[in-house]
Amino acid sequence: MRALGSTLVCLACARAPESVRPVASEFTEVGYPPPPAQIETIDERLAGRPECHYLDGHYEWRGRRWQWLSGEWMIPPADCHYAPSVLSWGPPPNARIYYTPPRWYR
């Protein structure tokens, strides 16, 4: 069972790192801000392993609505940093809300 958990943690880290700053194509216009974050209980089984880091859960924009993605333990890709999701507002008078998903970058 432990080997399966370790394998799943490693597979979750397989995403390729991206640039430090998101490019314009990564900003998605959204219709409204997400609800407040959900309260999560962190599974402490991997807490003592220095190579593991817990990434908080967050809302992700899917089509026309927000969907909650639970937090998870991960082994970060080598030489990479994590950038959480970003919600930003455009300038008035036609202010819009933009969302950028979380990503890893070198």
Side-chain angles (χ1 to χ4, degrees), residues 3 6 11 23 37-38 45 55-56 70:
S6 297
L11 288 176
V23 294
Q38 295 184 18
R45 287 181 287 172
L55 299 180
D56 291 331
S70 297

Side-chain angles (χ1 to χ4, degrees), residues 25-39:
S25 63
E26 292 176 336
F27 288 95
T28 302
E29 186 176 335
V30 298
Y32 51 94
Q38 295 184 18
I39 296 173

